[in-house]
Amino acid sequence: MLIRKGYKFRLKLKADDARKLRQFAGCCRFVWNRALAVQDELFRDEKAKLLTRTELINRLPEWKREHPFLADAQSQILQQTLKDLDLAYRAFFRRLRKIRAGDYSEGDDPGYPRFKKKYLHDSFRFPQGFRIEYRHIFLPKLGWFRFYKSREIQGTPKNVTVTRDGPHWYVSVQVEQEIPDPVPAREPSAGMDLGVSRFLTLSDGSCAEPLNALLGLEDKLAREQRKLSRKVRFSANWRKQKARVNRVHRKIRDSRRDFLHKTSMALARSYAVLYAEDLNIRGMSASARGTTDNPGQNVRAKAGLNKAVLDQGWSEFLRQLDYKLSRRGGELVRVSPRDTSQSCSRCGHVSKSNRRSQSRFKCTACGLEMHADHNAALNIATLGQRGRNACGDEGLPSSMKQEPPGNGDKVPAPA
């Protein structure tokens, strides 16, 4: 099986090198905005038709004559920018068709392509012409650069993307690898309940504590943002303080990403099939403020819950878990979240009074008492097994038919 995989490394740059990279990124940004302005004008005209990818690329020579600085950039990175814009429009129209057909889900955002701002998401991509030798990489029209090689690159390099993140520049090498065809497996399997007080709880009783990346640095972030508010906007001191604020944001992002990768990999190595709720995270984290005529209730409490939910990174975690399981022959199965937290995993009795508190579950019918997240995970596992076997409880493992074991174990630590 052929897969695509990326390796990201930080470049070792001198002052003049960073200037060249900023120049290339600026040329790509200019071409993107110029092409988007042309397409946007045609899009607003109901009788006009958008230009194709080839027609946009054919306009590059004319734009280079009008703006000679574009000739300094490598031609293929400008062409790749126009191809990315074409893909953005295709995705927009594809999602728009889903909405009109009634096949729209909350995860599909029909976002219209936006104009790019200076020094924000600077990047450009080389589809060919690059070379990698040990700890050096050659980029066309830029020359050789050293990079911090943290691991070996395995596979056939297909393209290289250069991006800026804060004060540093990174190179991402996409490779094509051939791996053995995964052997489909169905065991071991487990239901998984995502939460805030516990990041996740499995039906076998194991759990993982949340990282709470934002909560740990929230006070520091607030202090740095207060300092920023006292600076004169766009002054030298304002820019320095802005860089400090961005540094805290990057630390929060990187620690969350590291936690999600390690946790998802540990689960993918330990389980073949995992059942998870098909959550509407956008609706769960929506504001409760309401309107002037119809104001919301418990707005402050809901805002705190929204922040906690978004701090967990559930969507990214499920995305990572999905592809990591599939590469090992496993599967991530989504089930309906309806009544999973209010149903008894032993007798099936559904009642709001079963959920005594955030963590305590006690069935009012049979008296089953356990951690609420563990009970929900058992219900999720039951729903997932029924959906896969389509034969009721006959296909359920015996551990899911009996009263579950203790729930104090932890998710296996990543290797």
Side-chain angles (χ1 to χ4, degrees), residues 29-224:
R29 181 180 61 252
F30 178 86
V31 169
W32 172 283
N33 291 339
R34 180 68 182 269
L36 179 56
V38 174
Q39 296 287 61
D40 186 61
E41 184 177 355
L42 296 174
F43 178 77
R44 297 179 186 276
D45 186 357
E46 297 181 357
K47 298 181 180 180
K49 186 178 180 180
L50 296 184
L51 298 179
T52 64
R53 176 190 304 181
T54 304
E55 291 172 336
L56 284 175
I57 294 177
N58 290 339
R59 292 199 175 193
L60 272 178
E62 178 185 350
W63 293 346
K64 287 183 178 181
R65 288 191 294 269
E66 295 177 5
H67 308 281
F69 64 88
L70 291 178
D72 296 335
Q74 209 260 358
S75 297
Q76 289 189 344
I77 67 172
L78 303 180
Q79 296 174 8
Q80 288 294 313
T81 300
L82 296 179
K83 291 179 180 179
D84 291 341
L85 178 61
D86 180 70
L87 291 176
Y89 267 105
R90 289 174 182 270
F92 169 71
F93 288 119
R94 182 171 59 251
R95 295 161 185 165
L96 203 61
R97 286 193 296 269
K98 288 184 179 180
I99 294 177
R100 293 172 178 173
D103 188 23
Y104 172 73
S105 61
E106 290 294 336
D108 297 331
D109 183 13
Y112 188 81
R114 299 180 180 181
F115 290 95
K116 292 188 176 182
K117 297 182 180 180
K118 192 175 183 180
Y119 303 137
L120 190 64
H121 306 301
D122 288 342
S123 67
F124 49 92
R125 184 169 62 257
F126 293 95
Q128 59 185 14
F130 58 89
R131 297 199 304 273
I132 302 175
E133 296 181 4
Y134 190 51
R135 296 179 180 269
H136 297 77
I137 183 170
F138 174 80
L139 302 177
K141 259 195 175 183
L142 287 173
W144 287 95
F145 296 92
R146 295 179 62 195
F147 62 90
Y148 295 92
K149 193 174 184 181
S150 55
R151 53 179 176 164
E152 292 296 328
I153 301 176
Q154 300 178 355
T156 305
K158 292 305 211 180
N159 59 70
V160 169
T161 303
V162 181
T163 58
R164 185 182 66 86
D165 188 5
H168 304 298
W169 288 85
Y170 296 85
V171 57
S172 301
V173 183
Q174 187 185 65
V175 301
E176 188 176 71
Q177 292 181 353
E178 185 175 359
I179 62 174
D181 292 334
V183 179
R186 299 189 61 176
E187 293 296 338
S189 63
M192 179 174 60
D193 180 67
L194 300 176
V196 174
S197 61
R198 284 182 173 183
F199 178 70
L200 64 87
T201 304
L202 299 178
S203 57
D204 59 10
S206 58
C207 64
E209 297 300 323
L211 176 66
N212 294 327
L214 175 60
L215 183 62
L217 292 172
E218 191 173 17
D219 293 339
K220 182 177 181 180
L221 179 62
R223 287 195 303 270
E224 299 297 339

